[in-house]
Amino acid sequence: RQLDDLARTVDSSASIRVSIERSAVVLQQAPGSPLSSNQRARALAELLRARAASHELAKASAAVPAEQNQPHAPPSLSTAVEQLTDHIDAAYRDLELNLHNPQATSVLRLRQHASSLRRQLNVLDDAIAIETQRRRSSLFRIHAFIMLGVGILGAIALWSAYRLQQSRLRARRAFTERDDQLQALVGAVPDVIALLDAELTIRATTRTHPARR
């Protein structure tokens, strides 16, 4: 599941980058060349795609537990996505206003939006790289714990099998020694000992004297 979430995060980030780069190319026009209606509409469409992808990325990053902020530490994934979404929304509002009233927003402000969007993309890339490394480390630790557990269970199983085998060998030796003792005891008796069944049939007997011929 973590790998699937990570793959979706990377895909959403790639979609955001493509859309923002396309819109930034349109926004970073020369100061003396105003944007045409077609260019503004195309940039708006790209920003709309980037905003939709950033909202999906925000939902995915909201489930990621946030770590404690440390001094001079880079922003977390959720913080970077939130900041990028705010920049996209601001650029979209100004560009939409410029579409209806070209004099409402200066070209310089649109160029500033393009630069800030690209800077925020770099921040998002750093956050995704950190999150990727964190999830890989987490998966590695989980795999290590699983392998450790398998090794411990295997060692326990081998030790149990060894103990069972030793117990069987001790029982067999004890039985053999007891049988030898009984045979020695019976063999030392000078009389004839016979084992009879219920029908008085001789099943076993000892002969202390050799048979006469």
Side-chain angles (χ1 to χ4, degrees), residues 58-135:
K59 293 179 183 178
S61 61
V64 178
E67 297 181 350
Q68 296 181 352
N69 293 329
Q70 300 178 357
H72 309 292
S76 62
L77 178 59
S78 58
T79 303
V81 173
E82 183 179 357
Q83 293 174 355
L84 178 60
T85 303
D86 293 340
H87 281 79
I88 293 174
D89 290 339
Y92 185 86
R93 286 193 300 267
D94 286 346
L95 189 58
E96 188 177 26
L97 183 62
N98 184 269
L99 179 63
H100 299 290
N101 186 6
Q103 304 300 326
T105 306
S106 63
V107 177
L108 180 59
R109 182 171 177 80
L110 296 179
R111 289 168 59 87
Q112 290 175 351
H113 279 309
S115 300
S116 64
L117 287 173
R118 281 176 170 166
R119 285 196 303 270
Q120 199 59 38
L121 271 179
N122 294 331
V123 174
L124 179 63
D125 289 341
D126 294 339
I128 289 178
I130 294 173
E131 182 63 25
T132 301
Q133 182 63 31
R134 189 185 71 83
R135 295 193 184 188

Side-chain angles (χ1 to χ4, degrees), residues 27-41:
L27 294 176
Q28 284 187 328
Q29 298 291 334
S33 58
L35 295 176
S36 64
S37 299
N38 188 24
Q39 289 176 324
R40 290 193 294 268

